[in-house]
Amino acid sequence: MTILEAVEKRWSVREFAATPIEAEKLNRIMQAGWLAPTASNQQRNKLFAVTDPDLRRQLVDACEGQEFVGEAPVVLVACADQDRTMICGQSARSMDCAIAMAFMRLQAIEEGLQGCWLGWFHPEQVRKILNIPPEYVVVAVTPIGYPTNEGTRSYKKPMEEIVVYNKMEK
Ligand SMILES: Cc1cc2nc3c(=O)[nH]c(=O)nc-3n(C[C@H](O)[C@H](O)[C@H](O)COP(=O)(O)O)c2cc1C
């Protein structure tokens, strides 16, 4: 599978089979996150693969009761410490975590898995459940697993509405 094929096959899935994810697949997914770039190569990420059913159940509450979080065999969580605002005005750690999660998500596609990026979660609750120290920002939560049905790509605006070569029209 090419990277673009993985990108094209990625869409949000919220129904998962109970089938566990094989250890070697999960290891490759985590490797993709581990090797992702970080601002100034500071590598402050902690990338979690939450497989424990009790922890996943607790994460459902932390994610506003989104039940599929508990049904997915693995919940990926990305957090990082020593956050700082870069010259561009953005949080370095939020970006580091988002990149790592995106890499993991694409490797999951390569492994035949799907998932759903979650922004509806309460970071303080996630922190408590996973013993994440207060100096860490909790940026991304993504349950992954084998989809119960394949699903389809959601609507995307025409490429020319999103992509700009050189500068925007006035
Ligand atoms: C930053 C972000 C936060 C999201 N939060 C949630 C969420 O909490 N719950 C959910 O069901 N989907 C969530 N989604 C999934 C989006 O609804 C989904 O990506 C979007 O509708 C586009 O569909 P696609 O992923 O199939 O391309 C989130 C996606 C992103 C990128």
Side-chain angles (χ1 to χ4, degrees), residues 1-90:
M1 186 184 291
T2 66
I3 291 170
L4 187 56
E5 282 166 351
V7 170
E8 286 173 338
K9 282 189 179 159
R10 187 221 56 86
W11 47 72
S12 293
V13 164
R14 300 175 180 83
E15 287 174 39
F16 303 101
T19 319
I21 297 176
E22 296 84 340
E24 63 278 14
K25 288 191 174 192
L26 189 53
N27 190 52
R28 287 193 289 266
I29 292 166
M30 302 316 289
Q31 215 179 334
W34 163 51
L35 294 175
T38 59
S40 305
N41 201 24
Q42 287 182 328
Q43 303 179 61
R44 306 306 311 181
N45 288 346
K46 292 282 182 213
L47 305 173
F48 293 71
V50 182
T51 57
D52 180 86
D54 182 50
L55 292 176
R56 288 189 281 117
R57 175 63 21 212
Q58 292 179 54
L59 286 173
V60 173
D61 295 332
C63 296
E64 286 278 301
Q66 299 184 84
E67 286 293 336
F68 60 90
V69 177
E71 290 155 10
V74 175
V75 182
L76 301 174
V77 177
C79 64
D81 73 346
Q82 295 182 13
D83 197 10
R84 62 188 171 85
T85 302
M86 298 181 289
I87 291 172
C88 65
Q90 304 299 320

Side-chain angles (χ1 to χ4, degrees), residues 89-106:
Q90 304 299 320
S91 151
R93 298 302 160 246
S94 299
M95 278 201 195
D96 292 348
C97 288
I99 295 166
M101 188 61 88
F103 278 26
M104 291 192 286
R105 188 70 174 79
L106 289 179

